[in-house]
Amino acid sequence: MANAGRVSMRGIVKRHGSFTALHGIDLDIAPGEFFALLGPSGSGKTTTLRILAGLEPLDAGQVMLDGVDVTAREPGERDVAMVFQSYALYPHMTVYENIAFPLRMVGTAKGETDRAVKDAAAKVHIDHLLARRPGELSGGQQQRCALARAIVRKPRLFLLDEPLSNLDAKLRLETRVELRKLQRALGVTAVYVTHDQEEAMTIADRVAVFMDGRIVQVGRPQDIFARPATSVVAAFIGSPPMNLLPADLRDGELRVAGVPLPAPRMAGRDGPITLGVRPAALRIAERGLPARVYLVENLGDTTIVDLDVAGQVIKLRTEQAPNVREGDHVHVAFAPEAMHVFDPATGQRREG
Amino acid sequence: MALFLPALVVLIVTTSAPLVYLAWTSLERIDLSMPWLSGFAGAGNYLQMGADPRFWHSLWLTLIYTVSTVVLQVLLGLGLALLVLRIPKGQGILRVAAILPIVLAPVVVGLFWRTLVLAPDVGLVDVVTRALGLPSYNWLGDPKLALLSVIAIHTWQWTPFAFLVMLASLSSLPPDVFEAARIDRASAWQRFRYITLPLIRPAIVIVVIMRTMIALSAFAAIFAATGGGPGTATEILNLYAYRTSFSELNLGYGAALAMVLLAITLAVSFVMFRARRAR
Ligand SMILES: Nc1ncnc2c1ncn2[C@@H]1O[C@H](COP(=O)(O)OP(=O)(O)O)[C@@H](O)[C@H]1O
Ligand SMILES: [Mg+2]
């Protein structure tokens, strides 16, 4: 296709006065990829997206689109479209005029514009609302209008800043799936900002995890889930996220809260470690770590059990209703393969 | 009811009663220079205007004065507001400075311009033009320039009002909409034309309505600066009515002229408010 949409960012630094919002971001996104920028609020996702769009001046670094340096180019010259978190619709224009705006600005012929607008509106199912103004639309309809305005011009790059965050839970799930289908159908590269790890993990081909203005891990969702690069990423991904416990490694033996456990393969050198175990990998057993049941949360098909292990709360997740009650004294166990080991000082993952 | 009665009486005595008296006077012939001719004239005063070239001249000046001052205030006020929005610091000081001309009494403004700014030889403008080697003009004494001068005075005093309203309106516009327009490939001019202007239209309309009504009945600044002269060069309808009543002491005809100005002002504001609501 004509528009490839390969993104490459090199050493992006952004400062606000003495505060550094981005400490040298490097990012490569392949054509046609659905790429998520994931991280907690304030970690620099929106700033990165705005730099990619050309809305935000940067202090250092380079932005390349399809091999061309666009760092100094105006947003309108980059052939990118954006869906804002606030939607940023033109309040005085009808839905039709909103969608037609990007075409009108470059003098596209009336007939061609008309066809493109109706086509885009049909793709997001708002073709019956074309005569309305944004103020007369529901949140979900406004969001679709913003989407239509973005796809109408067939850009090479599609930027979305938390596009689902203002929708209710049910609509969010439906739109998520639709968005993914739409992106596939259009074959356009999409960069998608979200703080919701579940959203990123389900929708994206690849994810970049942001923490405090840095990218701490890039990879496919399943790889990030299986091998989080740091304990911070581990504590951010999964619902509920990974349990992290202080542990001690000595002479091939692992001790958690004084209880000896078989050491995992990649344990490495002796000393204190941070042990990570996913809630779903925990089970209640005859032997293992002694724990007290703190809270049982029944979510219908799954149950979350909060357990107090030596003064620290960890979570267990199971599909079978566990036969425990609050206040019970139990033991929890997990397979050695389920263990993740992190350096307690740096937070880095330790591999065997 | 008893509680409101005093207020109602005061209101009627202070507003309606003078109007009724003015309307009544306009139907009489009261010329203090020829008191023996006084008596009821019916529509006589009004019919007389049709053949009064000085009336048509004053009407024409009123039109020029109103349209040009309102257009200048809107254009200059909007231009200044757009400029000031771009400066990162010191906007507060400019806002305060902008209030100064507004709070001055128009008569003070008229005198101030007449004695300090536009006076020959010692006036600020003359000093500057002569320093630049340009010829010296009698800004208020020359019939060709006097109208320009009173338009400039009114514009100087009231552009800050338009500026403040526009600035408030512009700074309340949502920034993300303009970012969306930049991404949607709109040039700076297109953003102004298709986003800024439509969004601040209500503010512009309000400024136009308010300033038109004030300009139609402008008086004090012109009176202080030129008194309507030289000759009738700056004699807008309001000044013609005043001069007829109080210089020429033709109270009946002066009252009729004032009634015509009142009718025009009411009609124009009615049409403008209708047009505003239509959109
Ligand atoms: N205009 C600004 N002035 C100062 N700090 C800012 C500005 N914009 C963003 N920041 C800061 O930069 C950091 C990153 O912001 P942002 O990219 O919006 O985070 P995210 O989208 O991941 O929530 C935040 O700490 C935020 O407070
Ligand atoms: Mg954000």
Side-chain angles (χ1 to χ4, degrees):
Chain A
M1 60 190 291
N3 300 340
R6 177 183 300 280
V7 176
S8 155
M9 298 177 98
R10 289 282 163 265
I12 305 290
V13 175
K14 175 68 192 180
R15 294 190 197 94
H16 294 289
S18 61
F19 174 76
T20 306
L22 294 177
H23 307 258
I25 296 287
D26 294 308
L27 205 54
D28 284 287
I29 303 173
E33 211 173 11
F34 202 116
F35 196 93
L37 310 184
L38 171 66
S41 177
S43 57
K45 311 176 299 286
T46 296
T47 307
T48 305
L49 197 72
R50 289 170 56 83
I51 285 173
L52 202 46
L55 293 173
E56 197 91 46
L58 35 77
D59 293 287
Q62 197 183 27
V63 180
M64 312 267 287
L65 291 181
D66 294 322
V68 178
D69 186 343
V70 297
T71 315
R73 286 219 194 143
E74 271 289 298
E77 297 168 6
R78 297 187 179 203
D79 190 22
V80 303
M82 182 156 164
V83 176
F84 289 73
Q85 186 169 6
S86 60
Y87 309 143
L89 298 173
Y90 308 122
H92 55 294
M93 298 182 198
T94 63
V95 170
Y96 184 99
E97 289 164 338
N98 264 279
I99 302 173
F101 192 80
L103 300 179
R104 212 170 124 215
M105 289 307 104
V106 292
T108 310
K110 273 232 161 56
E112 192 183 329
T113 302
D114 190 60
R115 243 172 292 127
V117 168
K118 287 181 175 148
D119 190 41
K123 279 207 177 81
V124 297
H125 316 297
I126 52 166
D127 29 351
H128 57 298
L129 301 170
L130 289 173
R132 300 237 193 124
R133 280 173 205 257
E136 301 160 354
L137 300 178
S138 73
Q141 290 166 338
Q142 290 184 21
Q143 201 259 357
R144 280 153 193 280
C145 179
L147 270 177
R149 185 177 67 182
I151 64 178
V152 74
R153 38 188 278 218
K154 305 193 167 48
R156 63 175 155 192
L157 189 59
F158 209 25
L159 307 175
L160 305 111
D161 190 1
E162 313 231 4
L164 308 182
S165 61
N166 293 330
L167 305 181
D168 63 59
K170 180 166 171 290
L171 197 55
R172 192 151 54 210
L173 292 183
E174 291 170 10
T175 314
R176 190 161 91 189
V177 177
E178 254 184 81
L179 210 53
R180 181 68 228 228
K181 281 191 200 150
L182 191 65
Q183 184 264 348
R184 275 274 166 271
L186 297 170
V188 63
T189 312
V191 184
Y192 185 100
V193 164
T194 180
H195 67 269
D196 181 340
Q197 54 90 21
E198 194 188 322
E199 201 170 286
M201 301 303 265
T202 49
I203 203 172
D205 295 319
R206 284 198 306 147
V207 177
V209 184
F210 280 68
M211 295 282 164
D212 298 325
R214 290 188 175 85
I215 294 180
V216 288
Q217 189 167 10
V218 181
R220 298 185 305 159
Q222 59 268 40
D223 296 339
I224 293 177
F225 189 84
R227 298 161 63 79
T230 70
S231 53
V232 182
V233 175
F236 189 67
I237 306 276
S239 51
M242 187 183 284
N243 295 302
L244 296 171
L245 287 165
D248 238 319
L249 195 63
R250 213 165 298 286
D251 307 329
E253 193 183 62
L254 183 69
R255 279 179 175 273
V256 181
V259 179
L261 294 170
R265 264 185 307 109
M266 68 295 206
R269 55 186 189 285
D270 286 0
I273 60 158
T274 300
L275 176 68
V277 187
R278 293 246 171 245
L282 289 175
R283 63 198 147 76
I284 294 186
E286 294 296 312
R287 281 174 298 146
L289 290 175
R292 194 172 60 83
V293 178
Y294 187 70
L295 185 72
V296 180
E297 275 179 277
N298 194 332
L299 304 177
D301 51 350
T302 61
T303 304
I304 312 279
V305 183
D306 287 22
L307 298 157
D308 184 337
V309 174
Q312 198 177 344
V313 173
I314 64 171
K315 286 174 185 276
L316 176 154
R317 180 186 160 126
T318 171
E319 317 262 283
Q320 289 104 39
N323 192 16
V324 294
R325 261 182 302 178
E326 282 158 31
D328 283 1
H329 288 272
V330 296
H331 292 272
V332 286
F334 42 88
E337 311 85 75
M339 294 189 204
H340 302 252
V341 177
F342 302 98
D343 187 306
T346 64
Q348 292 296 317
R349 180 185 191 84
R350 265 197 214 164
E351 303 286 0
Chain B
M1 189 65 209
L3 281 174
F4 296 120
L5 214 54
L8 202 64
V9 168
V10 170
L11 209 63
I12 289 173
V13 168
T14 53
T15 62
S16 307
L19 268 182
V20 171
Y21 183 63
L22 182 72
W24 175 251
T25 311
S26 74
L27 298 176
E28 298 226 46
R29 183 174 172 122
I30 313 174
D31 189 343
L32 296 186
S33 59
M34 289 178 272
W36 57 89
L37 290 175
S38 292
F40 187 75
N45 286 327
Y46 292 95
L47 295 174
Q48 188 189 334
M49 286 177 206
D52 177 4
R54 197 169 155 193
F55 165 72
W56 292 109
H57 175 69
S58 72
L59 207 56
W60 175 238
L61 289 183
T62 302
L63 180 73
I64 295 176
Y65 182 79
T66 303
V67 171
S68 56
T69 54
V70 170
V71 168
L72 282 171
Q73 286 172 71
V74 168
L75 291 183
L76 293 175
L78 182 55
L80 285 173
L82 287 169
L83 279 182
V84 167
L85 261 193
R86 296 176 148 250
I87 60 173
K89 285 207 180 97
Q91 280 189 24
I93 292 176
L94 285 169
R95 276 175 211 244
V96 173
I99 293 179
L100 281 179
I102 298 175
V103 297
L104 292 176
V107 65
V108 173
V109 171
L111 286 172
F112 160 72
W113 275 69
R114 177 172 153 183
T115 52
L116 297 177
V117 182
L118 296 177
D121 300 329
V122 294
L124 193 62
V125 172
D126 218 32
V127 169
V128 172
T129 50
R130 275 185 297 131
L132 293 175
L134 297 169
S136 162
Y137 295 104
N138 188 351
W139 289 100
L140 293 171
D142 183 334
K144 287 207 189 64
L145 298 175
L147 185 63
L148 283 185
S149 298
V150 293
I151 287 171
I153 293 171
H154 188 98
T155 305
W156 176 84
Q157 183 172 20
W158 293 110
T159 293
F161 173 81
F163 160 76
L164 287 174
V165 175
M166 305 284 184
L167 190 61
S169 180
L170 285 171
S171 35
S172 73
L173 297 182
D176 54 352
V177 166
F178 289 89
E179 292 183 340
R182 280 175 71 194
I183 292 184
D184 285 343
R185 308 181 282 196
S187 65
W189 165 250
Q190 286 172 321
R191 294 197 294 275
F192 177 73
R193 169 73 188 75
Y194 297 114
I195 313 282
T196 310
L197 267 189
L199 288 182
I200 64 165
R201 186 177 176 276
I204 295 177
V205 170
I206 271 295
V207 167
V208 168
I209 292 178
M210 292 180 68
R211 300 319 308 166
T212 300
M213 290 163 71
I214 299 296
L216 279 172
S217 52
F219 180 79
I222 302 179
F223 185 72
T226 67
T232 58
T234 58
E235 192 184 71
I236 63 172
L237 186 51
N238 209 6
L239 272 128
Y240 182 33
Y242 172 86
R243 278 174 152 187
T244 305
S245 292
F246 301 112
S247 303
E248 291 148 28
L249 302 178
N250 191 346
L251 296 181
Y253 193 51
L257 290 170
M259 286 301 292
V260 169
L261 177 60
L262 182 66
I264 291 174
T265 308
L266 287 178
V268 168
S269 42
F270 178 75
V271 168
M272 283 183 156
F273 273 109
R274 280 292 290 271
R276 172 167 175 254
R277 212 167 306 147
R279 252 309 284 260

